[in-house]
Amino acid sequence: MSASLATLDTPAAIVDVPRMQHNIQRMQQRMDALGVRLRPHIKTSKCLPVIRAQLTAGASGVTVSTLKEAQYCFAEGIRDVFYAVAIAPGKLAQALLLRRQGCQLSLLTDSIAAAQAIVAFGQQHHERFDVWIEIDCDGHRSGLHVEDDSLVEVARILSEGGMQLRGVMTHAGSSYELDTPEALQALAEQERGLCVKAAQRIREAGFPCPEVSIGSTPTALSALSLDGVTEVRAGVYVFFDLVMHNIGICQPDELALSVLTTVIGHQKDKGWIITDAGWMSMSRDRGTQRQKRDFGYGQVCTEAGDWIEGALLTGANQEHGIIALETAENVDITVRFPIGSRLRILPNHACATGTQFPDYHAVDAEGGVHTWGRLHGW
Amino acid sequence: MSASLATLDTPAAIVDVPRMQHNIQRMQQRMDALGVRLRPHIKTSKCLPVIRAQLTAGASGVTVSTLKEAQYCFAEGIRDVFYAVAIAPGKLAQALLLRRQGCQLSLLTDSIAAAQAIVAFGQQHHERFDVWIEIDCDGHRSGLHVEDDSLVEVARILSEGGMQLRGVMTHAGSSYELDTPEALQALAEQERGLCVKAAQRIREAGFPCPEVSIGSTPTALSALSLDGVTEVRAGVYVFFDLVMHNIGICQPDELALSVLTTVIGHQKDKGWIITDAGWMSMSRDRGTQRQKRDFGYGQVCTEAGDWIEGALLTGANQEHGIIALETAENVDITVRFPIGSRLRILPNHACATGTQFPDYHAVDAEGGVHTWGRLHGW
């Protein structure tokens, strides 16, 4: 093994593999204990070695946010792929192509218009698409309300139109706004309850609805019961990040993604340490801004990964990061953080930071560094 | 020409080529009139056809924010490259390699420590690096104050150490916080005045300082005089964006970059139109948040590019965008923006949005679409 952290150019996206494996085990064991399948959302990593580790640990299939991710997984032999964004009619041809190649691709809809488009396209091409219906469990974004008459109508259109209605799914995205175990448990129960209820409505109307898929990392790790649920989708747990830390569902030593950076300058009068990790590497995500603890653009750690309390990436230009210390008295920043020294920054949002990089540099338990490519674009 | 806007999958980054050419001409003509060279900052586009258009219009050399950009330009025959981020000592080997290959690469420093590192490395490898000294003209980020004793000391270290001191440079990054012509003119004059003064200090101390390089898009387009300046660096003018629009230095019909998106759902009770352009395509940049007009994650336009007044991308998840209308009474959003219909979103920050895409789709005056690759990563 020739590569090590010390030989890497900066900025670099570092994956701590033991932490990642711990996170994968933690979620898988929890889902096993609750008696549901885990279908990891690969939009966080977009990286095959990470996905393989999740499948090896026991995951069933994958969730994707783009058809390019579906293609990427299928090309590596992963057949059970759920494209968990409401399908645009213009993407049906691409979905058909994947299915004709042997990918067991599932589609999603939350509208009569899209259901009709799926049926029309499916019938035209003699394809029985696997389709899920999206349920809105918390007003966060998309989906049909459980009491909406369109719910049964969409199920009817798909079933009578010859499509395979696989089930219902929901995502409690508002869990990102919570930060107490009680609130998270309550939302997890709401997510479960409403999605199960939606399935029951469809079944009572006489249509098959075998699957109930729910998930977000915070609710998945907070749910006390998943009765009636068949699978859970979650993504960011694989790396965690400062937003998840603020929500309260992970500890600092579970944060598996960081950005390695070099000190390139100082502004002594302001107490600023200038680095080569700006927003181009951290992303513009300021997800902790409205949480109980604002980490700026990231929490500063030593090169070895030890949290430096009170040191934050407070500013970010394209290729410049500005680090400030909460208590800078008696600290000569040019001595403590000299030019050329290196630091690691924990990001607010692992999905957003990861995508800024063509590759991760994965550091194993022995300190060996492996280059792991990741997907970019659509 | 087989490709057209209508055949593109979404999301896609669209470059309006006539607008881009207009923007290039506008900046070049202004610099010509003021009697200075223009060295465009390619960090905005990271795209060769764009860079070539800038050079064809009269630009002299390029500015880059990473050594990968330098390599990218040099591989296409562009020799005069200014890496305008203070060099980390660990990157000197890569800089040396580029110079040995024939690239006339310029480096930047704003500290005694880095100047010493450049000299030590240069002497060790018998390389006379071209080096610029960064000046702080507005407290925005990096650079030495004109009255700082280190300024002359850095010039002395470089010159006596055998390096080629090319000149001084500054970037009035605080121009992004202004929005009146008067304030911009004043800052442009401050940027010019302080950088020229820094050069004079160095010259009076007996060291050569032939060049004075300044620049930011807002100050470049606001300066009334550039006496004593030899070149201007500017980047985002090539596409402009909503932040620049709010600053007041461009008109809506000069915004050359937009994201093509498809409507994938609605939440009628909330008045939300859900699209497939989330933050993965728009970026997380909320640059207009603190400006006089907050555009959310972007301004919504028709597929043809016409501004839809009062329609903003108010929310963004990874692959979901949420559009809301300021006045939604009497509008049935499912009829006006049906599923499958397409829109274009003008971004807050062209540099941040562009980087989310592996390619631009450049639309020429005849409506033909060309795929232009762009650089990603370091």
Side-chain angles (χ1 to χ4, degrees):
Chain A
M1 196 86 56
S2 62
S4 71
L5 213 55
T7 63
L8 293 180
D9 190 18
T10 59
I14 307 299
V15 172
D16 183 316
V17 177
R19 288 185 180 188
M20 178 192 89
Q21 290 287 9
H22 158 87
N23 297 341
I24 290 172
Q25 290 298 329
R26 181 182 164 200
M27 181 64 85
Q28 186 64 52
Q29 285 168 8
R30 189 165 182 98
M31 294 303 102
D32 291 348
L34 288 165
V36 296
R37 298 193 310 276
L38 173 63
R39 182 193 286 279
H41 206 317
I42 68 145
K43 76 185 182 71
T44 299
S45 74
K46 299 200 183 202
C47 172
L48 210 63
V50 178
I51 300 164
R52 281 208 204 95
Q54 291 170 306
L55 293 170
T56 299
S60 294
V62 294
T63 313
V64 300
S65 68
T66 65
L67 287 176
K68 189 168 179 178
E69 291 165 40
Q71 177 68 53
Y72 175 71
C73 289
F74 177 63
E76 296 293 329
I78 303 166
R79 290 183 66 248
D80 184 2
V81 180
F82 185 179
Y83 171 46
V85 176
I87 184 88
K91 296 188 201 296
L92 284 166
Q94 201 183 337
L96 177 67
L97 186 63
L98 272 163
R99 286 181 62 90
R100 290 282 158 87
Q101 291 169 345
C103 180
Q104 192 196 331
L105 180 72
S106 280
L107 305 181
L108 181 66
T109 182
D110 69 351
S111 70
I112 289 171
Q116 288 169 335
I118 293 167
V119 167
F121 190 90
Q123 289 181 347
Q124 186 187 346
H125 295 277
H126 309 289
E127 182 68 26
R128 183 173 166 83
F129 282 113
D130 287 282
V131 189
W132 300 63
I133 301 175
E134 184 170 9
I135 308 302
D136 181 1
C137 69
D138 61 354
H140 169 63
R141 181 173 69 202
S142 304
L144 291 165
H145 290 272
V146 62
E147 68 276 15
D148 190 326
D149 289 340
S150 298
L151 175 61
V152 173
E153 179 62 9
V154 169
R156 190 192 64 72
I157 291 166
L158 293 169
S159 294
E160 296 182 355
M163 300 300 110
Q164 181 76 43
L165 177 54
R166 288 285 299 278
V168 287
M169 72 82 89
T170 195
H171 165 60
S174 64
S175 61
Y176 281 46
E177 291 151 31
L178 307 177
D179 58 13
T180 68
E182 297 72 26
L184 287 165
Q185 284 166 17
L187 182 61
E189 177 55 19
Q190 176 179 320
E191 181 184 36
R192 183 202 70 79
L194 289 174
C195 206
V196 169
K197 195 170 165 191
Q200 286 165 342
R201 264 201 84 190
I202 291 170
R203 291 168 191 149
E204 283 162 11
F207 304 107
C209 186
E211 302 270 6
V212 176
S213 174
I214 68 167
S216 78
T217 286
T219 52
L221 291 172
S222 303
L224 300 179
S225 156
L226 291 177
D227 279 0
V229 170
T230 59
E231 72 167 30
V232 165
R233 308 175 326 283
V236 76
Y237 75 90
V238 74
F239 293 151
F240 286 123
D241 52 31
L242 293 168
V243 165
M244 292 293 129
H245 170 267
N246 273 345
I247 290 170
I249 48 136
C250 66
Q251 300 301 315
D253 65 1
E254 295 180 306
L255 273 56
L257 179 68
S258 60
V259 173
L260 185 68
T261 184
T262 303
V263 173
I264 61 170
H266 305 91
Q267 291 285 303
K268 274 190 87 166
D269 54 337
K270 299 194 184 80
W272 288 354
I273 302 142
I274 314 290
T275 76
D276 67 355
W279 62 253
M280 183 59 82
S281 51
M282 299 308 300
S283 90
R284 269 291 192 200
D285 200 295
R286 288 282 289 102
T288 59
Q289 189 170 25
R290 293 188 307 174
Q291 291 186 308
K292 59 186 170 188
R293 186 167 173 188
D294 184 350
F295 285 95
Y297 284 93
Q299 168 65 44
V300 180
C301 301
T302 65
E303 183 173 12
D306 298 318
W307 192 298
I308 303 173
E309 199 56 47
L312 297 181
L313 193 67
T314 55
N317 298 140
Q318 185 156 339
E319 299 286 354
H320 294 81
I322 298 174
I323 292 174
L325 308 179
E326 261 172 25
T327 50
E329 302 100 51
N330 307 321
V331 178
D332 184 338
I333 55 172
T334 63
V335 173
R336 180 153 174 215
F337 304 99
I339 284 177
S341 62
R342 285 145 71 108
L343 298 164
R344 275 159 80 177
I345 320 281
L346 298 169
N348 287 315
H349 188 177
C351 310
T353 299
T355 200
Q356 304 298 107
F357 292 85
D359 305 292
Y360 299 108
H361 289 92
V363 183
D364 64 27
E366 288 73 41
V369 173
H370 313 265
T371 303
W372 289 354
R374 53 161 288 146
L375 208 59
H376 184 228
W378 290 267
Chain B
M1 197 83 58
S2 63
S4 71
L5 213 55
T7 64
L8 293 180
D9 191 18
T10 58
I14 307 300
V15 172
D16 183 316
V17 177
R19 286 185 180 186
M20 177 191 90
Q21 290 287 9
H22 158 88
N23 297 342
I24 290 171
Q25 289 298 328
R26 181 182 162 199
M27 182 65 84
Q28 187 63 53
Q29 285 168 9
R30 188 164 182 99
M31 294 304 103
D32 291 347
L34 288 165
V36 296
R37 298 192 310 274
L38 173 63
R39 182 192 287 279
H41 206 318
I42 69 145
K43 77 184 181 72
T44 300
S45 74
K46 299 200 183 201
C47 173
L48 209 64
V50 178
I51 300 164
R52 281 207 205 96
Q54 290 169 307
L55 292 170
T56 300
S60 294
V62 295
T63 313
V64 301
S65 67
T66 66
L67 287 176
K68 189 168 179 179
E69 291 165 41
Q71 178 67 53
Y72 175 72
C73 289
F74 177 62
E76 296 293 330
I78 302 165
R79 290 183 68 248
D80 183 3
V81 180
F82 185 178
Y83 171 46
V85 176
I87 185 87
K91 297 188 201 293
L92 284 166
Q94 201 183 338
L96 177 67
L97 187 63
L98 271 163
R99 286 181 61 90
R100 290 281 158 88
Q101 291 168 345
C103 180
Q104 192 196 333
L105 180 72
S106 279
L107 305 181
L108 182 66
T109 182
D110 69 350
S111 70
I112 288 171
Q116 288 169 335
I118 294 166
V119 167
F121 190 91
Q123 289 180 348
Q124 185 187 348
H125 296 276
H126 308 290
E127 182 69 27
R128 184 174 167 81
F129 282 113
D130 287 282
V131 189
W132 300 63
I133 301 175
E134 184 169 9
I135 308 302
D136 180 3
C137 69
D138 62 354
H140 169 63
R141 182 174 66 203
S142 304
L144 291 166
H145 290 272
V146 63
E147 68 276 16
D148 190 327
D149 287 341
S150 298
L151 175 61
V152 173
E153 180 62 9
V154 169
R156 190 192 62 73
I157 291 166
L158 294 169
S159 295
E160 295 182 355
M163 301 299 111
Q164 181 76 43
L165 176 54
R166 287 285 299 278
V168 288
M169 71 84 88
T170 195
H171 164 61
S174 65
S175 60
Y176 281 45
E177 291 152 30
L178 307 178
D179 58 13
T180 67
E182 297 72 26
L184 287 165
Q185 284 167 18
L187 181 61
E189 177 55 20
Q190 176 178 320
E191 182 184 35
R192 183 201 72 79
L194 289 174
C195 206
V196 168
K197 195 170 164 190
Q200 286 165 343
R201 263 201 84 190
I202 291 170
R203 290 168 191 150
E204 284 162 11
F207 304 106
C209 185
E211 301 270 5
V212 177
S213 174
I214 68 166
S216 79
T217 287
T219 51
L221 291 172
S222 302
L224 300 179
S225 156
L226 291 177
D227 279 0
V229 171
T230 60
E231 71 168 31
V232 166
R233 306 174 329 281
V236 76
Y237 74 89
V238 73
F239 293 151
F240 285 124
D241 53 31
L242 293 169
V243 165
M244 291 295 129
H245 171 267
N246 273 346
I247 290 170
I249 48 134
C250 66
Q251 300 300 314
D253 65 1
E254 294 180 307
L255 272 56
L257 179 68
S258 60
V259 173
L260 184 68
T261 184
T262 302
V263 173
I264 62 169
H266 305 92
Q267 292 284 305
K268 274 190 86 166
D269 55 336
K270 299 195 186 78
W272 288 354
I273 302 142
I274 313 291
T275 76
D276 67 355
W279 62 253
M280 184 61 81
S281 51
M282 299 308 301
S283 91
R284 269 291 190 199
D285 200 297
R286 287 282 289 103
T288 59
Q289 189 170 24
R290 293 188 307 174
Q291 290 186 308
K292 60 186 171 187
R293 186 168 174 188
D294 184 351
F295 285 95
Y297 283 94
Q299 167 66 43
V300 181
C301 301
T302 65
E303 183 174 12
D306 298 319
W307 192 297
I308 304 174
E309 199 56 45
L312 296 182
L313 193 67
T314 55
N317 298 140
Q318 186 157 338
E319 298 286 353
H320 294 81
I322 298 174
I323 292 173
L325 308 180
E326 260 172 25
T327 51
E329 304 101 51
N330 307 319
V331 177
D332 184 338
I333 56 172
T334 64
V335 173
R336 180 153 174 215
F337 303 101
I339 284 178
S341 62
R342 285 147 70 107
L343 298 163
R344 275 159 80 177
I345 319 282
L346 297 169
N348 286 317
H349 189 177
C351 310
T353 299
T355 199
Q356 304 298 106
F357 292 85
D359 306 292
Y360 299 108
H361 289 92
V363 182
D364 64 27
E366 287 74 41
V369 173
H370 313 264
T371 302
W372 289 355
R374 52 161 290 144
L375 208 59
H376 184 227
W378 290 266

